[in-house]
Amino acid sequence: MNAGVPQDNAVLPIGVLIEIAGGGSVVALDLDRLTECARDTDPAIALSGQVGSQIRIRHGNRWLLASVREQKQGRRAGEGVLATVDFLGEGMADAEHGGIASFRRGVTNYPLPGAFVYPTTTRDLQAVYAGDGRNAIEVGTVFPTSDIRGSLYIDSLLGKHFALLGSTGTGKSTSLALILHRICQSAPQGHVLMIDPHGEYASAFRNEGMTLDVSNLQLPYWLMNFEEHCEILLSSRGDMRQIDAEILARCVLQARQKNRLAEDVGRITVDSPIPYLLSDLGAILQNEMGKLDKATNTAPYMRIKARLEELKGDRRYQFLFSGMLVGDTMVEVIGRMFRLPARGRPISIIDVSGVPSEITSTVVALLSRLVFDFAIWSRREQTSPILLVCEEAHRYVPSEKNADDSSVGRILSRIAKEGRKYGVALGLVTQRPSDLAEGVLSQVGTIISMRLNNDRDQAFVKAAMPEGGKAFLDSIPALRNRECIVVGEGVSVPMRIAFDDLEPEKRPASSDPSFSELWRQAGGEDEMVTRTVQRWRAQGR
């Protein structure tokens, strides 16, 4: 037998099916045949039988495709290598070439023990990974081939949410930029809102969207609901916080009612996005305090007033509490942030790196809630869906052990559970999936996992992955930079993809500094320190 001829290896079995089970079937592989296949010129055949590779099993006039999850040496003589496999789908046996044709996910009928196992060819993988006509974006090549394109189905990827996971330094930011660039190219009239906590993505999307930061965000304070008001204006804890909250609710409602819009709207609540003056809120607080008898404690009113004055006088909060934000600019704010209309620039980068750290979570909560509320109240209109992408998602939707009962965690959890009903897609990006709320990740339809170095993170992703994708999990610690495992609704079948290279001008500013190069350079340090101190003191960039 000539092992170098691809068609010989393709038609000769490499093992036999010995056990069928729902959670994973077992095949016995012939070690000599695996060695012969490893020398094959077809890279798919050369990898057949290895962990993470695919194999074929014949059943009548169909081929069943399975992925190898794990291997171990058989205990009995002649048993060969025992491999646990997960069935991915099935296709008809091609009459001309004998390979897989018309592949589809899922298995109609399982084969019986004793069925022969065959290697998978590149021609088979082309049939498996070929698009089915749905709108898709190409993001890379399918491992182990160099020419089969890996595609993500846009509607399924966004309609059922996605998560991009990967340890720091694996190329996660560049891969996210690649996916968003491909989406923007495919849908230039789309609506994408991205929360950028580190100011990395402005340079990557200068031609495809708009960057909003503390210098031009102009986010009116009166858009906040009552819960967000409490997070920013109340500093007390315990029983005192409840007292302060009741006072604040009463005073904010009165301040909103002073606007003429309130008369047109009719009955309003403390959550209604009706503009009000900060001076009115201060005056109402003062008036309410003046009504008290001497036996009543005025401390709650003083605390709220002091906090209000502090925020009004702090330049860092100007994007939220500027006096210029009193006018009814809600239509303009919504239209600009959500790219309505997009005019060929469908993405808004919200750079929150300049937002004071103590209110960053509240600002993200406000932005996320505006997306969700707009989707709810626009259901009668012919509006486009909105994609909300959240970098460093574990900071905002933490696991139960790290939960701080913040509004941002609640609104993002609600979007994960209910967003698809209203046309809100959620993209979660994190390097620590084990610190992410488990209930949120379970709502994600597509998981894009790059290399994860932490055992807890790997275990967490394994628990969240659908059954068919678990065979790929052993590959996650061994993935190279800019490689990923994609499982779920956004792909036709679980696959390992090497991402395309992205043009330098489209990459985010997230590359690590080169110590060896920068520490060899000298000159201009005095001026650099002076400029930095000036920006530091001015709290500006």
Side-chain angles (χ1 to χ4, degrees):
M1 178 173 55
N2 185 353
V5 181
Q7 58 264 32
D8 284 347
N9 279 324
V11 300
L12 292 173
I14 58 174
V16 65
L17 180 65
I18 61 174
E19 183 180 320
I20 291 284
S25 302
V26 179
V27 298
L29 301 174
D30 186 318
L31 194 56
D32 292 335
R33 284 289 296 125
L34 293 182
T35 303
E36 293 171 357
C37 287
R39 296 193 292 265
D40 201 286
T41 55
D42 185 329
I45 293 178
L47 285 175
S48 285
Q50 297 185 24
V51 171
S53 69
Q54 285 76 48
I55 56 172
R56 298 176 298 160
I57 300 174
R58 188 68 180 256
H59 183 50
N61 63 344
R62 297 177 183 272
W63 283 113
L64 273 64
L65 187 74
S67 187
V68 179
R69 188 197 304 178
E70 58 186 15
Q71 293 180 337
K72 64 180 178 180
Q73 179 65 47
R75 295 180 179 178
R76 290 189 289 250
E79 200 170 35
V81 176
L82 299 181
T84 303
V85 301
D86 297 310
F87 286 102
L88 301 175
E90 62 184 11
M92 301 301 295
D94 188 293
E96 182 179 355
H97 304 289
I100 298 175
S102 304
F103 180 82
R104 65 180 185 181
R105 186 183 291 187
V107 176
T108 306
N109 294 303
Y110 286 94
L112 296 173
F116 286 119
V117 175
Y118 296 83
T120 303
T121 67
T122 295
R123 187 191 296 274
D124 294 328
L125 295 182
Q126 287 172 339
V128 169
Y129 295 122
D132 59 7
R134 289 182 284 172
N135 289 327
I137 53 171
E138 293 184 351
V139 294
T141 54
V142 177
F143 180 85
T145 71
S146 59
D147 56 351
I148 298 178
R149 301 294 290 161
S151 298
L152 304 177
Y153 296 121
I154 296 178
D155 291 336
S156 298
L157 178 75
L158 303 184
K160 297 182 179 178
H161 310 317
F162 72 90
L164 175 59
L165 317 173
S167 296
T168 301
T170 57
K172 187 169 68 278
S173 298
T174 308
S175 302
L176 175 62
L178 171 68
I179 292 171
L180 293 180
H181 273 297
R182 295 285 194 268
I183 291 174
C184 291
Q185 290 165 8
S186 175
Q189 302 305 320
H191 312 286
V192 182
L193 182 73
M194 181 178 182
I195 309 295
D196 178 9
H198 301 303
E200 297 176 340
Y201 293 90
S203 59
F205 294 95
R206 62 171 67 91
N207 298 321
E208 288 79 13
M210 170 183 284
T211 299
L212 300 172
D213 56 23
V214 291
S215 67
N216 64 349
L217 181 55
Q218 299 294 291
L219 191 63
Y221 58 87
W222 47 262
L223 283 175
M224 295 189 296
N225 65 14
F226 176 61
E227 184 178 15
E228 292 149 6
H229 270 85
C230 289
E231 289 185 358
I232 288 186
L233 291 175
L234 301 186
S235 56
S236 52
R237 293 288 179 266
D239 294 339
M240 288 191 301
R241 188 177 183 83
Q242 182 61 37
I243 296 171
D244 291 5
E246 291 173 0
I247 294 170
L248 182 62
R250 191 164 61 247
C251 295
V252 169
L253 180 57
Q254 289 183 46
R256 292 196 194 276
Q257 288 171 336
K258 291 175 74 70
N259 192 302
R260 279 178 294 181
L261 274 174
E263 299 175 8
D264 300 333
V265 172
R267 183 178 179 275
I268 68 168
T269 70
V270 70
D271 289 329
S272 300
I274 303 292
Y276 70 88
L277 292 167
L278 289 177
S279 57
D280 282 346
L281 179 58
I284 292 168
L285 279 165
Q286 185 67 41
N287 187 46
E288 288 284 312
M289 187 168 58
K291 295 178 182 178
L292 301 176
D293 55 48
K294 292 183 179 179
T296 308
N297 189 0
T298 60
Y301 297 88
M302 299 300 294
R303 280 196 297 266
I304 299 173
K305 278 199 68 177
R307 177 63 173 163
L308 190 60
E309 293 302 319
E310 176 189 342
L311 295 177
K312 286 166 62 177
D314 194 329
R315 289 187 56 187
R316 299 176 302 157
Y317 296 86
Q318 288 292 295
F319 73 96
L320 193 62
F321 288 103
S322 169
M324 298 167 59
L325 303 177
V326 178
D328 183 15
T329 57
M330 190 170 180
V331 172
E332 292 82 356
V333 169
I334 294 292
R336 186 171 64 149
M337 281 200 306
F338 299 169
R339 311 306 301 145
L340 294 163
R343 297 190 177 93
R345 304 180 70 191
I347 187 167
S348 283
I349 306 295
I350 310 295
D351 179 0
V352 296
S353 60
V355 174
S357 58
E358 60 266 26
I359 66 164
T360 301
S361 292
T362 307
V363 171
V364 174
L366 172 56
L367 294 168
S368 305
R369 185 184 53 77
L370 287 176
V371 172
F372 191 63
D373 284 354
F374 178 80
I376 290 176
W377 293 108
S378 65
R379 292 189 77 183
R380 295 182 184 178
E381 309 291 336
Q382 186 62 40
T383 56
S384 298
I386 298 174
L387 168 61
L388 174 64
V389 181
C390 189
E391 260 271 21
E392 299 277 358
H394 60 277
R395 289 169 50 178
Y396 307 119
V397 211
S399 56
E400 289 185 6
K401 64 178 182 179
N402 298 322
D404 54 2
D405 197 36
S406 63
S407 58
V408 66
R410 281 189 289 276
I411 185 58
L412 288 176
S413 296
R414 190 178 178 195
I415 291 175
K417 295 171 185 174
E418 305 174 31
R420 61 180 67 107
K421 302 175 187 175
Y422 304 104
V424 179
L426 184 62
L428 300 174
V429 186
T430 178
Q431 70 266 29
R432 292 302 306 269
S434 60
D435 288 342
L436 196 65
E438 189 170 358
V440 170
L441 196 59
S442 66
Q443 299 290 330
V444 169
T446 306
I447 294 178
I448 306 169
S449 180
M450 306 183 77
R451 187 174 70 249
L452 292 167
N453 302 322
N454 186 285
D455 291 341
R456 285 177 53 239
D457 292 332
Q458 294 169 22
F460 190 80
V461 174
K462 182 174 183 178
M465 273 198 176
E467 193 64 37
K470 292 185 178 178
F472 290 85
L473 279 169
D474 289 338
S475 305
I476 287 179
L479 291 173
R480 296 188 288 261
N481 284 357
R482 298 185 51 70
E483 276 192 349
C484 69
I485 303 296
V486 189
V487 298
E489 301 293 334
V491 287
S492 56
V493 65
M495 63 179 78
R496 177 174 171 179
I497 293 177
F499 281 114
D500 291 337
D501 287 330
L502 193 59
E503 298 90 332
E505 66 274 11
K506 294 183 177 181
R507 296 173 189 168
S510 58
S511 57
D512 296 328
S514 172
F515 288 83
S516 58
E517 291 182 14
L518 294 175
W519 282 2
R520 291 195 189 106
Q521 302 171 11
E525 288 88 347
D526 293 339
E527 294 82 358
M528 181 272 289
V529 172
T530 300
R531 291 191 300 269
T532 300
V533 169
Q534 288 173 347
R535 288 193 298 270
W536 194 346
R537 285 175 172 163
Q539 294 291 297
R541 293 176 176 242

